Amino acid sequence: MKEPNSTSSTTTSPTTESVYGMPAYIDRAAAVGEVHSRPHLLIDAPRSLLQLAFMTEGDKEKDQLAMDELSHRLGVPETDHTARLHGLTWEQGDLHCEKHTEFSTYLWCAPLDMQSGEPIGENPFKHGFIPPGPVVSGVRVTLLPWTPETETKAEEFKVASLCYSIVEGGSAAILTDFHQDKDGLTNILILSRDLSPARAGALVQRLLEVETYRTLAVLSLPLTRSMTTELRRMEARLAAITDEMCTSMAQRRDSDILLSELTNLAAELEAGVAANLYRFGASSAYYDIVEERLAALSEESICGYHTWHDFLQRRIAPAMRTCHSVKERQAKLSDKLTRAISLLRSWIDVELERQNRDLLASMDNRAKLQLRLQQTVEGLSVAAVSYYVVGLLSYLLKGVPLVYDFAAPVTAVMVPVVMVGIWLKVRSIRRAHADTATEKST
């Protein structure tokens, strides 16, 4: 019986840094080695595999602490924690740790005792194991030879949700009911007829990913239920504000208050969208992975049983549609708020233009009044200045002995002359000021 790959085989082999002695692009090694970054195990039946997925939020120190504790307890050398995929190997089996963006998976692969149906060796997840985070998924996979005796294992699953199908071109059968046992694990049974170790390892990896990613995909469902209530409240408030806008536009009031309420509602919505953006995006990506892995199984149905694809489609697809509908409601509500704010701002701008027009008209009337007052003052000033000038001239004439007797008639003749002269002078001054103002405006 072949053992699973050793720890060294689970890491990516180094890529040549140059080609024919020419320097390689800085990221070439990572790009070329990506296809080998997640090698599947080489597994022979009978075998037991136990995988736990922990939410770590990308904290690598938590994984390092858990793996260091295991290596000390099992008495095996510590592994390279910088690698995304690394593990431990001891006599009873292997433990493989794989780090993802927000979670990490720990896969224990051990020989199986056919008599007891239990794995041989110490369970690494017991006896003081330090979890790197809360458990999000737990899967137990049992690989057995396909015999009449092992076929009876199907009776251990719940009939109502038993998924039983043929895969690998008839070389294997896969069974599960997607229920959790007393340990909180989902049990999967693989019956192998003539699977090679490589094909068995690839099949196990696909089934583990189906169970892990389908759990992660549905994590957004509780969030969508709470968001539905919030969206309903926001939609009702938006409807009430738009109704108030109709009344306010007719009565020309409360525009600032309505704009403030709309802006606050839009800010609240955008804050919720930003906070849940990653969760919705991750759920969609996880669901796509589940779809790909189920399609890769190429299941052949067995009469009277569900296939994995049909069972999960009926149960996960509605949840994903619910998440998608909530995202669409958020987007539509955001568009409605944007249009409402734009409409209210347009109305406020029109109202401001009306007020500016009235203000300009009032200023124009005031300017006309000032002009009339100025003209009146100019007329009075011409009379007043003429009076003083004529008075001065009369005094001047009276002081000359030769014309003293004719002072009164001469003064009378000078009155219109002085008034016309002063009026012409005032007019020229006003024209000079008007020309200066015109030049400045141009």
Side-chain angles (χ1 to χ4, degrees), residues 209-272:
E209 289 176 347
V210 166
E211 174 60 17
T212 301
Y213 286 117
R214 70 101 179 175
T215 304
L216 290 165
V218 188
L219 285 181
S220 60
L221 185 59
L223 179 62
T224 59
R225 290 169 179 167
S226 63
M227 291 180 61
T228 300
T229 304
E230 288 297 312
L231 287 174
R232 190 179 297 112
R233 178 186 63 81
M234 291 183 184
E235 289 168 344
R237 184 59 191 140
L238 175 59
I241 292 176
T242 51
D243 288 340
E244 291 183 33
M245 285 173 57
C246 297
T247 305
S248 297
M249 287 182 182
Q251 299 180 1
R252 302 181 183 278
R253 62 178 178 82
D254 297 337
S255 58
D256 293 338
I257 297 176
L258 292 177
L259 182 60
S260 177
E261 291 184 3
L262 280 175
T263 305
N264 292 337
L265 193 61
E268 183 181 355
L269 176 64
E270 293 304 323

Side-chain angles (χ1 to χ4, degrees), residues 49-52 136-142 157 175-189 207-208 210-212 214-215 308:
L49 300 99
L50 176 60
Q51 177 178 282
L52 298 180
V136 68
S137 174
V139 193
R140 179 186 287 116
V141 178
T142 304
F157 295 96
L175 300 86
T176 188
D177 57 7
F178 293 104
H179 282 279
Q180 281 69 52
D181 59 15
K182 59 182 179 60
D183 295 322
L185 304 174
T186 301
N187 288 286
I188 297 175
L189 174 61
L207 298 182
L208 289 172
V210 166
E211 174 60 17
T212 301
R214 70 101 179 175
T215 304
W308 286 48

